[in-house]
Amino acid sequence: MSGQTRLDQSRRSRPAHVAEAIKDWVVDKGLQPGDRLPGEAELIARFAMSKGTIREAMRMLQAQGLVVTKTGPGGGTFVGRVSKDRARALLANYFYFQQISIDDIYQVRIALEPELAASLAGRLTAAQIAELETIMETYAEPAPDADTERAQHVASLRFHARLAEFGANALLSFFIGFMAQILTDLTVYRRLYAEPNHELWREGRDHHLRLVRALREGDADAARAVMADHMRMARLRMGDQETVVMKRFIAE
Amino acid sequence: MSGQTRLDQSRRSRPAHVAEAIKDWVVDKGLQPGDRLPGEAELIARFAMSKGTIREAMRMLQAQGLVVTKTGPGGGTFVGRVSKDRARALLANYFYFQQISIDDIYQVRIALEPELAASLAGRLTAAQIAELETIMETYAEPAPDADTERAQHVASLRFHARLAEFGANALLSFFIGFMAQILTDLTVYRRLYAEPNHELWREGRDHHLRLVRALREGDADAARAVMADHMRMARLRMGDQETVVMKRFIAE
DNA sequence: TAAGATTTGTTCGTATGTATC
DNA sequence: GGATACATACGAACAAATCTT
């Protein structure tokens, strides 16, 4: 009889309904990333719907990063782990029509990053410390021109993003990484920094140096304090700029 | 033949390619929510692709909350503002396969909510204060049973979510609301609280009362301190529970 | 109320592309 | 290189929703 999932009691379109059903089915079955979903033919039979409808449903899941498809023998649709980049892009879409200022971002950074720094003190591996120091080499010397300074700023944002990834808290890590991504995009697509400022450069670099030292020595309070200073300074540095609203779809 | 847009130099599927192109087009044109996109027929002509492919592309955009479609005359596809709920659901998908503990959530809440409270002191309207007080009525009296206590906890989470929405910082508001949503789901779908505890209830209620008073009186430091206490207490309250990982697709 | 117009929604048959064996 | 298995894409027809007259 093929339990034909009772033609839409909702007002949702059929593909959306099918997509939700498949999502629920994946959760119920406890499928893991990489596990294979039924092929098109089987889904067509199971839901008693046409190929087109099933395919549209799959596209919806694909757009959310929940599945990936491969052609050819052994191919098909597989459960996918939503990537960090995709999650960031999807969330950025939400903020596309929201008013967000640089200062809004810094209000959150000031609250989160010192806490992160404190929680990481004494918990980084030698390799992780080394990676941070490698990133810092990018801005070991003052930038001679605006382009170089932009590259340095992107690198210093990467420093923060990597630091967040070193922590065990995936939620905190994502939030911080998301903000770093926004600031990176703003830096790349707009010229957020007018001209190199050696004084500010020195101050920022010193903060990173002192932060790494505190992290290595396991001094949580110092790490928190340095990061707090660092964020406050960066906020002022941005404060010169108008409260630019961020408006952009980040590419997937 | 037929000018076909140069068969995908990328390895992306055609619908994904079309979806990105439309997204870029919307950004370029500066279209706003409610603006109408070209109809199916025109897109078929413009991209030289079949109806099915165009529709799959639209479904991808729809799944991301970027467009909505309506049938009938005057219908079509329209630019849509990504809703808060959808953004939360899409982000929750990312965390489905990530390890997130209650304590992770509280580490972030402890960092963010006091900052929010301080920034809101003296800035709430009478109507907003009144709304908070209405919510608080839900848990004005101790809960007689576990179900009631659960409802009270959901209400108190709504208190926090609303408070965040009253702020001007959409980023901060979203992060806090997202965490409140996760905790609400955990409360509803699992029994996060074993049995009513009058002592904890009184303490939580008092925190909210004192917080509202500080907000009304414009005492930022007091608001921050009360919220910090409140969060620390709540963290301990949850600490009794195992560090339950959150694993669930939140429904759209 | 009813009919017609407009636009998306759905189906089916067929053909093509792609990766594995 | 050919057979196989699978997703991908196309096109024509029909269905449903909804606005206008």
Side-chain angles (χ1 to χ4, degrees):
Chain A
M1 54 127 230
S2 82
Q4 188 161 344
T5 352
R6 186 141 242 69
L7 208 43
D8 269 329
Q9 57 267 47
S10 78
R11 207 175 286 87
R12 252 196 309 232
S13 65
R14 282 205 246 215
H17 182 248
V18 172
E20 282 301 312
I22 292 174
K23 203 190 276 190
D24 291 344
W25 182 78
V26 168
V27 174
D28 281 353
K29 292 284 184 181
L31 297 191
Q32 295 299 305
D35 287 352
R36 193 172 184 282
L37 267 58
E40 273 187 0
E42 187 176 340
L43 291 173
I44 290 168
R46 187 177 302 187
F47 288 98
M49 284 173 189
S50 76
K51 183 157 35 188
T53 302
I54 298 296
R55 286 181 57 78
E56 286 177 31
M58 285 309 192
R59 293 300 189 192
M60 297 187 79
L61 296 176
Q62 186 186 334
Q64 297 171 69
L66 298 174
V67 304
V68 295
T69 59
K70 288 193 290 237
T71 62
T77 306
F78 302 84
V79 177
R81 184 188 304 270
V82 181
S83 75
K84 185 173 293 191
D85 279 348
R86 184 175 298 264
R88 283 178 184 169
L90 293 170
L91 185 56
N93 288 341
Y94 168 70
F95 289 109
Y96 182 76
F97 288 122
Q98 303 278 333
Q99 274 199 335
I100 293 222
S101 69
I102 300 270
D103 209 57
D104 288 339
I105 296 172
Y106 271 89
Q107 184 181 16
V108 179
R109 289 192 85 191
I110 286 175
L112 289 185
E113 301 239 16
E115 174 66 20
L116 168 75
S119 74
L120 251 45
R123 295 176 178 274
L124 297 185
T125 66
Q128 289 171 331
I129 299 264
E131 183 177 343
L132 293 177
E133 285 171 337
T134 300
I135 294 175
M136 283 194 292
E137 285 172 14
T138 311
Y139 41 95
E141 300 298 327
D145 54 63
D147 277 352
T148 306
E149 208 220 1
R150 222 177 0 238
Q152 288 187 345
H153 189 239
V154 169
S156 82
L157 285 167
R158 220 166 70 78
F159 176 97
H160 288 270
R162 285 301 288 160
L163 191 64
E165 286 172 351
F166 292 158
N169 188 335
L171 188 67
L172 180 57
S173 169
F174 179 84
F175 286 170
I176 291 178
F178 179 68
M179 294 185 288
Q181 179 72 58
I182 293 176
L183 293 173
T184 297
D185 286 356
L186 287 173
T187 303
V188 172
Y189 291 106
R190 319 194 176 208
R191 30 188 56 254
L192 205 56
Y193 300 97
E195 60 215 63
N197 181 321
H198 288 196
E199 180 55 34
L200 291 177
W201 161 82
R202 201 185 57 75
E203 208 172 345
R205 186 207 53 175
D206 283 359
H207 280 147
H208 280 203
L209 283 171
R210 286 161 52 200
L211 176 62
V212 168
R213 189 190 318 141
L215 291 172
R216 191 193 298 111
E217 294 173 356
D219 189 339
D221 288 338
R224 190 197 321 267
V226 171
M227 185 65 100
D229 280 348
H230 183 52
M231 286 292 110
R232 278 192 288 265
M233 184 206 86
R235 180 185 217 168
L236 291 178
R237 185 183 183 185
M238 305 303 247
D240 297 345
Q241 305 275 334
E242 286 296 296
T243 61
V244 185
V245 292
M246 95 139 210
K247 286 203 174 299
R248 187 155 204 292
F249 287 122
I250 297 177
E252 298 177 48
Chain B
M1 54 132 239
S2 81
Q4 202 153 340
T5 352
R6 182 145 239 65
L7 205 46
D8 267 331
Q9 57 266 48
S10 76
R11 207 172 285 85
R12 251 198 308 233
S13 65
R14 280 203 247 215
H17 182 251
V18 171
E20 283 301 312
I22 293 174
K23 204 189 277 190
D24 291 344
W25 183 77
V26 168
V27 174
D28 282 352
K29 291 284 183 182
L31 296 191
Q32 295 299 306
D35 287 351
R36 192 172 184 280
L37 269 58
E40 277 185 358
E42 188 176 339
L43 291 173
I44 291 169
R46 188 175 301 185
F47 288 97
M49 285 176 189
S50 75
K51 177 167 180 159
T53 303
I54 297 296
R55 286 182 57 77
E56 285 177 33
M58 285 309 191
R59 293 302 191 192
M60 296 185 80
L61 296 176
Q62 187 185 339
Q64 296 171 72
L66 298 175
V67 304
V68 295
T69 60
K70 287 192 292 233
T71 62
T77 305
F78 303 85
V79 177
R81 187 189 301 274
V82 181
S83 74
K84 187 173 291 191
D85 279 349
R86 185 176 297 265
R88 283 178 183 169
L90 292 171
L91 185 55
N93 287 342
Y94 168 70
F95 289 109
Y96 182 77
F97 287 120
Q98 302 279 336
Q99 274 200 336
I100 293 220
S101 69
I102 300 271
D103 209 58
D104 288 339
I105 296 172
Y106 272 89
Q107 184 182 14
V108 178
R109 289 192 85 191
I110 285 175
L112 289 185
E113 301 240 13
E115 173 66 19
L116 169 75
S119 73
L120 252 47
R123 296 176 176 275
L124 295 185
T125 67
Q128 289 172 331
I129 299 264
E131 183 179 343
L132 293 178
E133 285 170 337
T134 300
I135 294 175
M136 284 195 293
E137 285 173 14
T138 311
Y139 41 95
E141 299 298 328
D145 54 63
D147 279 351
T148 305
E149 209 220 0
R150 218 169 15 227
Q152 287 188 345
H153 189 240
V154 169
S156 82
L157 286 167
R158 218 166 74 78
F159 176 97
H160 287 271
R162 285 302 286 159
L163 192 63
E165 285 171 353
F166 292 158
N169 188 335
L171 188 67
L172 180 57
S173 169
F174 179 83
F175 286 170
I176 290 178
F178 180 68
M179 293 186 289
Q181 179 73 56
I182 293 177
L183 293 173
T184 298
D185 286 355
L186 287 173
T187 303
V188 172
Y189 290 107
R190 320 196 176 205
R191 27 186 61 255
L192 207 55
Y193 300 97
E195 63 214 61
N197 181 321
H198 287 197
E199 180 55 34
L200 291 178
W201 161 83
R202 201 184 57 73
E203 208 172 343
R205 186 207 54 176
D206 284 359
H207 280 147
H208 280 203
L209 283 172
R210 285 162 52 202
L211 176 62
V212 169
R213 190 188 317 142
L215 290 173
R216 190 193 300 112
E217 295 173 355
D219 189 340
D221 288 338
R224 190 199 318 270
V226 171
M227 186 65 100
D229 280 348
H230 184 52
M231 286 292 112
R232 280 193 286 267
M233 185 206 87
R235 181 185 216 168
L236 291 178
R237 186 183 182 184
M238 303 303 245
D240 298 346
Q241 304 276 333
E242 286 295 297
T243 61
V244 186
V245 293
M246 94 138 213
K247 284 201 176 300
R248 186 154 203 289
F249 288 123
I250 296 175
E252 299 178 51

